[in-house]
Amino acid sequence: MATTETKKIDAKIPQGALAEKWNNYKAHQKLVNPANKRRLDVIVVGTGLAGASAAASLGELGFNVLNFCIQDSPRRAHSIAAQGGINAAKNYQNDGDSVYRLFYDTIKGGDYRAREANVYRLAEVSNSIIDQCVAQGVPFAREYGGLLDNRSFGGAQVSRTFYAKGQTGQQLLLGAYSALSRQVNKGSVKLYTRYEMLDVVLIDGKARGIIARNLVTGKIERFAAHAVVVATGGYGNAFFLSTNAMGSNGSVAVQIYKKGAYFANPCFAQIHPTCIPVHGENQSKLTLMSESLRNDGRIWVPKKKEDAEAIRTGKLKPTQIAEDDRDYYLERRYPAFGNLVPRDVASRAAKERCDAGFGVGSTGLAVYLDFSDAIQRLGRSTVEARYGNLFQMYEKIVDDNPYETPMMIYPAIHYTMGGVWVDYELQTSIPGLYCLGEANFSDHGANRLGASALMQGLADGYFVLPYTIQNYLADEIRTPRFSTDLPEFTEAEKAVSDRIDRLMKIQGKQTVDSLHKKLGLIMWDFVGMGRNKAGLEKALTEIKKIKKEFWSDVFIPGQGDDLNTELEKALRVADFLEIGELMARDALVREESCGGHFREEHQTGEGEALRHDEDFSFVSCWQYAGEDKEPTLLKEELNYEFTKVQQRNYK
Amino acid sequence: MEKTISIHLKIWRQRGPKAKGAFETYHLDHVSTDSSFLEMLDMLNEQLVGSGKEPVVFDHDCREGICGMCSLYINGHPHGPDEDITTCQLHMRKFKDGETITIEPWRSHGFPIIRDLMVDRTAFDKIIQAGGYVSINTGGIPDANAIPISKVKADEAMDAASCIGCGACVAACKNGSAMLFVSAKVSQLALLPQGQVEAARRAKSMVAKMDELGFGNCTNTGACEAECPKNISITNIARLNREFLAAKFQD
Ligand SMILES: Cc1cc2nc3c(=O)[nH]c(=O)nc-3n(C[C@H](O)[C@H](O)[C@H](O)COP(=O)(O)OP(=O)(O)OC[C@H]3O[C@@H](n4cnc5c(N)ncnc54)[C@H](O)[C@@H]3O)c2cc1C
Ligand code: SF4
Ligand code: FES
């Protein structure tokens, strides 16, 4: 099995009481004076909430920023697709919210596998995010009195979620994009769109630049800077089908892992309970139905197996099932939180009912999300005002009208809590290399609460990194700009071109997508919602086989030094294969259930996740050991000083 | 229940911005009517790559109608024949068995073709960079509830802000005008007190940039509104014109 080392991992958490740590840090950190900022270059890779907010804020401070993204415009980063909302501890509803409660809910929601100090800081800066966005002109939903409206999300008993219709991510990203555009106009940020980072360049152990491929010309280019920030999003697409955008990938995480950055908690992935079920073989992605729908929608399956069977074969319609014959299983099992239990709990409960034979839809892999009560109670127009665009989206895809018949939903992979390991300053284990947003592992432990990813991305980019990176750059003010002719750049570029040549030369028989689908099926069956030792071991052997097939039989048409969408996909799939392996390996080592990680061997009598705090209260940090070598497992111990660690209970 | 159809495709292929393009025809069987339009193109590309050919290049990402990356002129309509949706949300149940479907890129002076169906829309970013923002820095901002905003205004701003920057309005317009896109951003910000401060200046600089980039004049044909997947209203153009006049007046 994995080699484990006991090297101490230092997260650089400031001293002092929980509520004082961030203030203490800011009071004592080093800063860069305005004249010196102009002489310092920072590369920011990614223009999602995390990348765009960081690039804009660094530009405003006076740094010289180079900002990269894959899409044709920064505004199209995957963050644009977030629907439901963003959390903040404003307590505008006077319902008992506070920074501490947001912190506590996040720690508990993460099943006690996140760092206290980071999460507290996140809750602390959450309020400034809302202020910032409103000032940018983000049109959040408002009440008739003119003040901001809130809704509830899973895992919380207060209403702290701010939203802009069902398009919160879009509006927040357009806000960050507007701030970024302003800096582009001022000349402090230079944009590189349709560029894909393919490696980081290290000089004397520090991150000093990147190698990127111009996706239009296919040419490989070099970029130098004093520090590199990556905010490239999550790796959920390792599963092929997910709620992520088609271009979302984990490649930068793998590139920097291979250069020495630790990959933390890879097995912590979130399966979202409310997605539109799979329809057929040619399906390319899964569409999320926002969690906010669980505010008013009730989840059920038939109580009787005969009814479920009749529905599957088209003999009965859901509206024909009498109220008494419906099993509102979340309300039954979790009376305190009901339909608003956290995502991992809701997903597993849906799988349990479907596996037991109560599933609906033609495949039996679906449950109902029913709005009939809400429509009766609130009226159709109120429901339409709250969820209209989501209902429309559903109808266009499924060709069913959710105002008249319940929606069908099923869990799908959605978010990755694991990611690049970072310390309190968001610095990776490589000096001068920072990681923000979904790409890092920092704040959500083993399970992320709804509406907290947007909060984290913007917290990292607007309010954390612009401070912490100065603590590093303050020591770099005498470092002149680097030439990209240095041997380190030449070497890194050569490695990248060699890899592309190797891929182009295979000229095998299988398409990139067909291999990606194979990987996805293995991931879903064995590294998905229910995991066990035998299955994970099988996954490891199967992934190795697919990897071999990939590197010997993939076919990529066209040229390497030209626009080539198949090559783009192939480079990403090669990295998903590495991630799949890491996820399975990490899941195998973590012999407990926590949050989104459910090991079937470790559950309570009632089928709930069973943690083993004595043995597993740590962050697993994987260190690359070389091609075809088993990576080393390092552990960052988690110390809960300010919260009492408990078994989660949503009953 | 799942149904499948056979279709003929007439697709525009072009190597680069300067190259000469042409239609090529393809045939596809067993297309599920539950598939999305882009999944149908994926099928075609799998078939092409499977026989050693280069795939048809087209832009796409979120595949749920929000990123604005997908485009395509399908049977004479930007984003295809269905109403209020983007190409990625279009489903094959909208087409008949045996039908010929014609697919072209956005064709407009402002959006040069990169390859096949992929076009360059960076001009939209340049227009936003010219003034599509509120000029504030990060931090030091008053409380979010300090200024109440009427729900009606906020909702109206939200409607304008729903623009996904896809460019269908430009592609639909015989003049190649970007007025609907520009007016959506100008309106969103002009409707909110935070954006009102710079409203006139913003309108002026965004319109100037639009003209500079070679987009055509608006002659109120209304084609943009009819084809916009997000229902952006042409009344926004009237608001833009008011802000623009106000700016002239201030000069
Ligand atoms: C459908 C959906 C709905 C969601 N709803 C919510 C919600 O309501 N509330 C919530 O809090 N969270 C939600 N989430 C989660 C949240 O949207 C994401 O976690 C978050 O937006 C990630 O932001 P990011 O900035 O880290 O990365 P992203 O937005 O994914 O941005 C990644 C950026 O990196 C760039 N990039 C990637 N690789 C490279 C490379 N190699 N080279 C150059 N550039 C690269 C991309 O071009 C892009 O600009 C949702 C997620 C999904 C999928
Ligand atoms: S106004 Fe409509 S058509 Fe034009 S870019 Fe915006 S969403 Fe697309
Ligand atoms: S692919 Fe995002 S809008 Fe169509």
Side-chain angles (χ1 to χ4, degrees):
Chain A
M1 205 40 270
T3 14
T4 309
E5 257 183 47
T6 39
K7 174 177 160 189
K8 188 138 173 59
I9 292 202
D10 183 10
K12 293 199 259 171
I13 295 169
Q15 294 300 312
L18 191 57
E20 297 305 319
K21 287 182 192 292
W22 182 229
N23 282 332
N24 284 347
Y25 177 89
K26 287 190 290 185
H28 297 109
Q29 69 162 118
K30 286 174 275 188
L31 294 173
V32 181
N33 84 27
N36 286 328
K37 283 182 184 133
R38 256 175 283 129
R39 283 191 248 142
L40 293 169
D41 303 336
V42 182
I43 285 174
V44 178
V45 187
T47 60
L49 288 180
S53 57
S57 305
L58 292 173
E60 287 162 9
L61 286 170
F63 294 104
N64 182 40
V65 181
L66 294 78
N67 191 195
F68 295 77
C69 70
I70 292 178
Q71 292 83 356
D72 65 336
S73 162
R75 66 180 290 155
R76 306 203 204 283
H78 169 56
S79 295
I80 199 93
Q83 302 169 351
I86 177 166
N87 288 330
K90 283 284 194 187
N91 193 30
Y92 283 159
Q93 307 303 325
N94 196 28
D95 55 1
D97 204 3
S98 61
V99 167
Y100 185 83
R101 190 172 285 273
L102 174 54
F103 154 76
Y104 177 78
D105 286 349
T106 309
I107 285 280
K108 176 184 171 196
D111 218 355
Y112 303 95
R113 290 293 174 265
R115 244 185 236 150
E116 279 183 324
N118 283 56
V119 176
Y120 195 88
R121 176 179 64 191
L122 174 66
E124 225 178 330
V125 303
S126 68
N127 291 339
S128 307
I129 298 174
I130 305 302
D131 301 341
Q132 187 70 32
C133 295
V134 166
Q136 288 168 344
V138 169
F140 282 122
R142 289 178 182 269
E143 302 185 17
Y144 281 102
L147 302 184
L148 294 162
D149 192 17
N150 290 115
R151 54 168 54 145
S152 318
F153 253 54
Q157 287 170 314
V158 294
S159 245
R160 62 160 75 100
T161 306
F162 294 79
Y163 65 101
K165 274 202 174 160
Q167 293 145 251
T168 315
Q170 177 195 32
Q171 294 312 315
L172 297 177
L173 184 61
L174 292 181
Y177 162 75
S178 71
L180 179 65
S181 299
R182 177 167 162 252
Q183 293 311 306
V184 174
N185 192 45
K186 284 196 167 161
S188 58
V189 177
K190 185 156 169 30
L191 280 180
Y192 294 87
T193 60
R194 293 200 199 263
Y195 269 84
E196 184 154 358
M197 169 173 172
L198 292 181
D199 213 351
V200 63
V201 179
L202 308 186
I203 297 178
D204 296 332
K206 292 178 173 176
R208 294 299 192 192
I210 66 168
I211 304 294
R213 184 163 175 271
N214 177 330
L215 299 179
V216 174
T217 63
K219 300 281 181 291
I220 311 286
E221 299 176 25
R222 309 172 183 188
F223 301 90
H226 293 87
V228 176
V229 179
V230 297
T232 49
Y235 51 88
N237 274 347
F239 285 68
F240 186 72
L241 286 181
S242 86
T243 62
N244 290 7
M246 303 300 286
S248 295
N249 68 87
S251 290
V252 171
V254 173
Q255 290 155 22
I256 65 177
Y257 161 69
K258 291 190 171 171
K259 286 279 168 88
Y262 309 143
F263 203 125
N265 295 335
C267 82
F268 289 166
Q270 179 166 79
I271 312 255
H272 196 294
T274 55
C275 302
I276 299 181
V278 176
H279 70 70
E281 260 175 45
N282 291 313
Q283 185 141 4
S284 57
K285 75 156 278 170
L286 294 168
T287 304
L288 175 79
M289 287 285 107
S290 166
E291 173 159 305
S292 60
L293 292 167
R294 288 200 272 143
N295 266 293
D296 290 308
R298 297 178 68 197
I299 296 181
W300 63 276
V301 291
K303 253 186 205 156
K304 299 186 205 146
K305 273 195 186 158
E306 315 84 85
D307 287 350
E309 175 68 33
I311 288 179
R312 289 198 289 268
T313 49
K315 289 189 198 111
L316 267 181
K317 288 196 164 63
T319 42
Q320 292 169 310
I321 308 286
E323 192 57 31
D324 278 352
D325 291 331
R326 300 175 177 196
D327 177 13
Y328 295 94
Y329 57 86
L330 288 177
E331 297 169 27
R332 168 169 61 77
R333 281 178 70 175
Y334 308 100
F337 281 71
N339 292 297
L340 284 175
V341 290
R343 292 173 176 176
D344 54 331
V345 178
S347 292
R348 273 198 297 280
K351 179 178 185 316
E352 188 278 329
R353 283 293 79 190
C354 294
D355 288 353
F358 296 93
V360 297
S362 55
T363 56
L365 291 178
V367 301
Y368 289 126
L369 177 61
D370 198 331
F371 290 87
S372 49
D373 275 2
I375 292 172
Q376 258 176 25
R377 181 165 42 93
L378 306 162
R380 184 181 154 135
S381 60
T382 306
V383 171
E384 191 170 344
R386 285 188 192 164
Y387 312 111
N389 66 323
L390 298 172
F391 279 34
Q392 185 226 24
M393 192 193 265
Y394 182 86
E395 185 170 357
K396 292 286 181 194
I397 295 174
V398 183
D399 208 21
D400 257 352
N401 180 349
Y403 293 101
E404 280 154 21
T405 184
M407 282 185 180
M408 280 191 290
I409 51 162
Y410 198 66
I413 188 90
H414 175 61
Y415 181 89
T416 49
M417 284 77 68
V420 177
W421 182 88
V422 288
D423 61 19
Y424 187 75
E425 297 184 304
L426 304 182
Q427 187 164 214
T428 68
S429 41
I430 297 175
L433 181 61
Y434 292 77
C435 186
L436 319 183
E438 189 174 340
N440 75 23
F441 90 107
S442 71
D443 295 354
H444 308 293
N447 173 59
R448 172 175 72 77
L449 290 182
S452 287
L454 302 184
M455 170 172 72
Q456 183 224 331
L458 290 180
D460 288 0
Y462 284 134
F463 298 111
V464 180
L465 180 90
Y467 285 92
T468 60
I469 199 171
Q470 292 194 52
N471 206 29
Y472 175 80
L473 290 173
D475 292 332
E476 297 288 334
I477 51 176
R478 270 177 251 288
T479 314
R481 292 202 154 95
F482 293 89
S483 156
T484 53
D485 294 333
L486 290 171
E488 287 86 350
F489 278 91
T490 312
E491 223 172 274
E493 181 186 316
K494 179 158 187 311
V496 165
S497 329
D498 286 352
R499 184 174 156 92
I500 290 176
D501 285 347
R502 196 176 146 204
L503 277 170
M504 294 305 300
K505 280 201 186 109
I506 299 172
Q507 295 292 309
K509 290 196 179 55
Q510 303 186 52
T511 62
V512 176
D513 276 1
S514 66
L515 287 155
H516 193 180
K517 278 184 197 175
K518 279 191 196 173
L519 170 67
L521 285 178
I522 298 290
M523 295 302 291
W524 183 246
D525 286 346
F526 302 111
V527 199
M529 259 187 290
R531 303 162 169 179
N532 59 54
K533 184 164 188 284
L536 291 165
E537 282 167 352
K538 184 169 164 67
L540 279 174
T541 9
E542 291 298 317
I543 296 170
K544 281 207 181 87
K545 272 195 227 157
I546 303 173
K547 197 164 156 182
K548 235 191 184 148
E549 266 180 66
F550 178 87
W551 284 102
S552 60
D553 197 32
V554 74
F555 173 72
I556 305 165
Q559 309 301 319
D561 56 354
D562 186 12
L563 190 157
N564 191 334
T565 48
E566 289 295 307
L567 173 61
E568 289 167 27
K569 286 194 286 185
L571 285 162
R572 293 173 204 150
V573 172
D575 296 325
F576 283 135
L577 285 160
E578 307 278 332
I579 290 179
E581 214 178 310
L582 262 185
M583 288 180 80
R585 199 180 287 284
D586 189 42
L588 195 57
V589 170
R590 193 167 280 279
E591 292 187 59
E592 64 162 350
S593 294
C594 58
H597 169 65
F598 193 71
R599 281 286 300 262
E600 285 157 358
E601 304 95 323
H602 304 274
Q603 49 182 308
T604 66
E606 292 160 309
E608 305 296 338
L610 186 62
R611 282 196 332 258
H612 299 308
D613 294 331
E614 1 25 282
D615 299 322
F616 292 98
S617 185
F618 62 78
V619 176
S620 37
C621 309
W622 293 92
Q623 190 180 29
Y624 187 66
E627 186 94 31
D628 296 323
K629 290 215 182 76
E630 298 217 338
T632 313
L633 175 64
L634 307 171
K635 295 176 182 173
E636 180 199 331
E637 294 298 332
L638 291 167
N639 299 312
Y640 285 90
E641 288 179 64
F642 305 95
T643 25
K644 191 162 162 280
V645 177
Q646 291 167 321
Q647 207 57 251
R648 280 193 314 175
N649 180 2
Y650 293 96
K651 298 197 182 269
Chain B
M1 283 298 102
E2 197 184 21
K3 222 185 92 188
T4 65
I5 53 174
S6 295
I7 48 168
H8 303 281
L9 296 165
K10 238 179 96 182
I11 301 180
W12 187 261
R13 308 276 327 236
Q14 182 173 335
R15 282 306 290 181
K18 300 258 153 53
K20 200 165 162 287
F23 280 108
E24 282 192 30
T25 53
Y26 306 94
H27 181 82
L28 267 187
D29 289 321
H30 309 298
V31 179
S32 163
T33 51
D34 284 341
S35 288
S36 72
F37 194 82
L38 296 185
E39 283 165 357
M40 180 276 291
L41 285 181
D42 292 342
M43 264 178 88
L44 172 70
N45 279 344
E46 279 294 284
Q47 205 169 294
L48 288 173
V49 175
S51 56
K53 300 200 182 92
E54 285 189 52
V56 175
V57 174
F58 61 93
D59 267 325
H60 64 102
D61 199 24
C62 74
R63 296 211 175 183
E64 48 188 65
I66 194 76
C67 73
M69 188 103 179
C70 65
S71 50
L72 307 189
Y73 222 78
I74 304 163
N75 287 347
H77 291 280
H79 294 302
D82 200 357
E83 309 252 288
D84 305 339
I85 53 163
T86 54
T87 291
C88 59
Q89 292 175 295
L90 177 63
H91 277 70
M92 294 310 292
R93 62 180 80 93
K94 293 284 164 196
F95 299 92
K96 289 191 281 299
D97 193 31
E99 186 170 344
T100 299
I101 306 171
T102 307
I103 311 172
E104 296 168 81
W106 283 175
R107 291 186 195 279
S108 194
H109 183 68
F111 299 150
I113 291 180
I114 295 174
R115 171 148 327 156
D116 297 341
L117 306 170
M118 181 187 271
V119 302
D120 182 355
R121 287 171 287 193
T122 40
F124 270 11
D125 287 327
K126 292 192 181 126
I127 294 174
I128 298 289
Q129 285 154 17
Y133 38 76
V134 178
S135 301
I136 49 148
N137 284 350
T138 303
I141 305 278
D143 187 84
N145 261 347
I147 311 174
I149 301 174
S150 94
K151 179 169 165 48
V152 180
K153 279 263 163 79
D155 287 349
E156 228 184 312
M158 177 64 218
D159 287 342
S162 301
C163 165
I164 56 173
C166 64
C169 46
V170 177
C173 176
K174 68 179 170 60
N175 307 318
S177 167
M179 278 296 265
L180 195 62
F181 167 77
V182 175
S183 71
K185 183 51 72 184
V186 166
S187 287
Q188 175 207 337
L189 295 176
L191 281 159
L192 299 169
Q194 291 82 4
Q196 185 54 52
V197 183
E198 298 170 278
R201 190 168 65 128
R202 175 180 309 116
K204 207 174 121 189
S205 39
M206 288 177 74
V207 168
K209 185 50 97 180
M210 172 180 77
D211 292 343
E212 179 196 318
L213 292 168
F215 289 97
N217 289 324
C218 172
T219 53
N220 282 311
T221 66
C224 52
E225 183 187 59
E227 298 289 4
C228 170
K230 296 292 149 184
N231 270 319
I232 302 298
S233 163
I234 202 163
T235 55
N236 288 307
I237 297 186
R239 188 177 292 107
L240 167 59
N241 286 334
R242 282 201 298 280
E243 294 298 342
F244 189 71
L245 283 179
K248 281 264 147 96
F249 191 68
Q250 282 169 15
D251 280 352

